[in-house]
Amino acid sequence: KSRISSAGYEHSLFTTGENLTKQCQSTSARTSHKAGYSNGLTFSLASTITGGTPAATITAPFSSYKTGIFTYDAASGLYQVSQYGKPFVDGETGEQFAVTNVLVLKTSVAAISGDDKGRQSVKLEGSGEGIYACEGQSIPIKWSKSAWDQSFVFTTADGSPLVLKCGKTYVNVLSNSANVTVE
């Protein structure tokens, strides 16, 4: 309850695997994927970028008040995440959140006409360009999604399937006009 006053309702939902399982069992919710389902992602334990450009810091502005900053820490091999001008801290551990992979997906983002809450319409069907960063390197990527209920497909610029390194992945969905910097 204390989180609602400081983070808002949209960032205050908590549950456990046990509670989710109980809820699924009490409804007709499916607990397994349909035959042939694929999440479209491929992972590797080995390094996944060759021939990339340096990506020690990635700045991904979502809006005039929220910008994600990802700073590579070579000692851990992870990107430290900051937002709203300060470290993004895990509410459970108190430690700064860190990820192995950073994806930046560019698409059409616009204010919803007549909405007085500032909500956005984000086009997630179709295709677009983006950036993949891992281990202090980045490469351009392409994304596609054929329908709302289908998985994203990520490829390198030449059309080869994108392979992510095993670990946590942070996905930024930004406006085509967002001024993303990679340094």
Side-chain angles (χ1 to χ4, degrees):
K1 291 182 180 181
S2 65
R3 208 169 141 78
I4 292 172
S5 65
S6 65
Y9 284 106
E10 70 275 19
H11 300 291
S12 301
L13 178 64
F14 297 92
T15 191
T16 64
E18 181 181 328
N19 286 342
L20 291 172
T21 299
K22 284 180 186 176
Q23 183 63 30
C24 285
Q25 290 170 343
S26 70
T27 68
S28 61
R30 209 172 0 100
T31 59
S32 61
H33 294 293
K34 292 181 181 178
Y37 171 81
S38 169
N39 68 11
L41 300 174
T42 304
F43 292 91
S44 172
L45 292 172
S47 183
T48 60
I49 294 182
T50 56
T53 57
T57 303
I58 302 158
T59 303
F62 179 76
S63 66
S64 61
Y65 61 89
K66 181 180 180 187
T67 296
I69 299 175
F70 304 84
T71 306
Y72 185 65
D73 174 43
S76 67
L78 302 174
Y79 282 92
Q80 300 292 319
V81 183
S82 296
Q83 60 184 12
Y84 300 108
K86 58 186 178 183
F88 177 42
V89 176
D90 183 307
E92 199 64 27
T93 67
E95 295 180 12
Q96 185 171 9
F97 196 68
V99 298
T100 302
N101 306 297
V102 178
L103 288 169
V104 177
L105 312 180
K106 296 287 222 59
T107 192
S108 174
V109 178
I112 296 174
S113 180
D115 181 82
D116 65 349
K117 304 292 186 207
R119 289 176 278 231
Q120 305 284 304
S121 171
V122 181
K123 185 177 182 212
L124 293 177
E125 293 176 20
S127 61
E129 297 182 353
I131 299 167
Y132 168 57
C134 181
E135 298 182 325
Q137 298 287 305
S138 70
I139 57 171
I141 62 167
K142 295 181 181 181
W143 67 267
S144 63
K145 191 170 189 288
S146 60
W148 71 269
D149 61 347
Q150 297 299 306
S151 298
F152 279 99
V153 174
F154 301 110
T155 64
T156 60
D158 69 5
S160 301
L162 179 66
V163 178
L164 302 171
K165 188 165 183 188
C166 290
K168 293 178 183 173
T169 300
Y170 194 112
V171 180
N172 299 271
V173 179
L174 306 176
S175 169
N176 286 319
S177 64
N179 184 25
V180 177
T181 60
V182 179
E183 302 174 314

